């Protein structure tokens, strides 16, 4: 998750696979790694960071939609 909807923004936290998020806003379209998608602002429902630590429910940030399932 990033602080805003672009690659130059600060990384807030890295979500581990299978973390659950809720989309709360849809942002601009972008192309990253040859994937065409939009940035989305998300709220964490449940999940862990890349080190396996629990992420506080309700935390928000921007993710690239092309990397979400």
């Amino acid at each position: 998750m990033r602080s805003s909807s672009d690659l130059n923004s600060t990384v807030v936290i890295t979500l581990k696979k299978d973390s659950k998020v809720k989309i709360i806003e849809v942002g601009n379209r972008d192309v990253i790694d040859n994937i065409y998608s939009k940035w989305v602002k998300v709220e964490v429902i449940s999940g862990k960071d890349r080190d396996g630590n629990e992420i506080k429910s309700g935390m928000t940030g921007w993710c690239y939609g092309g990397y979400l399932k």
Side-chain angles (χ1 to χ4, degrees), residues 1-2 10-15 44 48-50 53-56 59:
M1 291 188 344
R2 292 182 174 270
T10 304
V11 173
V12 176
I13 199 162
T14 301
L15 297 170
V44 175
K48 296 183 178 184
D49 65 15
R50 67 177 169 198
N53 300 311
E54 291 289 327
I55 299 171
K56 183 179 177 183
M59 181 179 215

Side-chain angles (χ1 to χ4, degrees), residues 1 20 24 42-46 55-61:
M1 291 188 344
K20 306 289 185 217
I24 55 177
V42 298
E43 177 182 338
V44 175
I45 304 299
S46 65
I55 299 171
K56 183 179 177 183
S57 179
M59 181 179 215
T60 62

Side-chain angles (χ1 to χ4, degrees), residues 6-63:
D6 66 76
L7 283 176
N8 295 319
S9 63
T10 304
V11 173
V12 176
I13 199 162
T14 301
L15 297 170
K16 222 175 174 180
K17 184 179 177 181
D18 296 327
S19 293
K20 306 289 185 217
V21 298
K22 176 176 132 181
I23 295 173
I24 55 177
E25 187 178 333
V26 178
N28 298 327
R29 187 172 184 193
D30 208 344
V31 181
I32 300 173
D33 295 331
N34 291 320
I35 300 169
Y36 293 79
S37 189
K38 292 185 177 184
W39 285 90
V40 290
K41 188 171 188 179
V42 298
E43 177 182 338
V44 175
I45 304 299
S46 65
K48 296 183 178 184
D49 65 15
R50 67 177 169 198
D51 297 323
N53 300 311
E54 291 289 327
I55 299 171
K56 183 179 177 183
S57 179
M59 181 179 215
T60 62
W62 288 88
C63 294

